[in-house]
Every structure is written in C-alpha cells, then in structure tokens.
Amino acid sequence: MDLVETVIEDVRWEAFGLPALAERAGRGALAGVGMPVEGFQVSLLGCDDARIAVLNADFRGKPTPTNVLSWPSDERGAEFAGDVPERPSPGAPGDPESLGDIAIAWETCAREAQEQGKTMADHVAHLLVHGVLHLLGYDHVDAEDAALMEALEVRILASLGVSDPY
C-alpha cells in the first residue's frame, strides 16, 4: 500500500512525476524520524497557484499563493520548544492512520526552484519532506523548533540524494 495518496489537479504535476517523488519523500521523512512507513497515509494535492491561494485564504487568512500547505490530522506538536513531537501509532493493515493532508502549487514551486538555482525535483522533495514533518508535529515558529526541523530536513534530504537546501 502506498504511503502517499496523490490527487492531481494540475496536469503539469502528472508529467513531472509527483506521485513517485511524493512517495519517495514521504517514506524518507518517516524513516528519517525513525517511524515505520506501514500503517500510515498522507493525502497530497498537486495543484496550481490559483487553487492554493484559495486554500491559503480559507485556512490561514492569506489570499496569496504559497509553495506548500499542510493540515495535520491531529495536533502532534511537542509540549516544549525544541522537543521531539509525540509519534502517532500506525493503523492496522488495510486501515492506515491518516497523518493529514498536503497541497503543493506548481507555479510557486517552479519559480522558487529557478530563483534558488535548484532543480524542480530537489525543491519539491524538500517541500514534501517539510510538509510531512509538519504533519508529524514539527514546526519552525520557535528558534529551537526551527533548528530541530531544519536539521531533520537536511539529514532526510541527504538520504534521498538531495543537497542541503539551506
């Protein structure tokens, strides 16, 4: 069973190979924090800037496009800044535990990758790992949390063959 269930709204994501990259990034993120892949599921929406702007307005009050959004299925944040969030328990075979939903926007990702001199695949892998970590309760609001999350991202991305995005 796949970890990531991908819904494509913008056909450019299909040609790009988003489902396979999302599966690889999601598996890498879970392995990178010492969690099993089996028993979990993530829903991913590959959309465009117009769609993500609506989602950003609806859920964050910001009516502008962004690169990636995530909606954890549960509040999993750590009690204290810099601590590791509590890990969810896997679901039963055939009934995986939902970690939550992620949406990613084509135009913003493509523009950022070009501006930052990265390949689109490396940039998207980073954003997907970032999104999965948010679903697991990691955040970057406090400096301690940001340091923990960024270190994890760098280590996970290295395991996927992606260089340090920072």
Side-chain angles (χ1 to χ4, degrees):
M1 180 172 215
D2 288 340
L3 168 66
V4 181
E5 182 180 303
T6 304
V7 174
I8 304 287
E9 280 190 357
D10 186 311
V11 296
R12 292 173 289 187
W13 284 119
E14 192 68 51
F16 174 76
L18 182 62
L21 180 59
E23 187 69 21
R24 191 168 153 258
R27 287 175 175 272
L30 290 185
V33 298
M35 289 178 56
V37 173
E38 292 75 25
F40 294 106
Q41 188 163 44
V42 171
S43 295
L44 172 65
L45 173 65
C47 61
D48 62 12
D49 273 8
R51 174 78 156 126
I52 212 161
V54 170
L55 294 170
N56 205 16
D58 288 350
F59 292 97
R60 297 178 65 221
K62 298 178 180 184
T64 57
T66 189
N67 50 20
V68 68
L69 292 170
S70 58
W71 298 270
S73 60
D74 265 326
E75 173 54 49
R76 298 186 175 95
E79 187 174 349
F80 300 104
D83 284 354
V84 174
E86 187 173 325
R87 297 212 168 105
S89 298
D95 187 22
E97 175 71 20
S98 173
L99 295 176
D101 304 322
I102 297 172
I104 191 163
W106 179 267
E107 294 93 339
T108 297
C109 290
R111 186 187 74 252
E112 289 174 346
Q114 183 178 23
E115 288 171 357
Q116 297 169 22
K118 300 174 183 173
T119 67
M120 179 77 160
D122 284 357
H123 188 52
V124 169
H126 176 212
L127 294 172
L128 293 172
V129 166
H130 185 87
V132 171
L133 290 177
H134 273 309
L135 298 183
L136 294 173
Y138 291 88
D139 209 334
H140 43 84
V141 175
D142 296 318
E144 297 93 342
D145 290 334
L148 175 64
M149 189 171 181
E150 288 177 12
L152 278 171
E153 289 174 7
V154 169
R155 191 177 80 233
I156 291 164
L157 290 168
S159 77
L160 300 173
V162 178
S163 57
D164 184 340
Y166 299 104

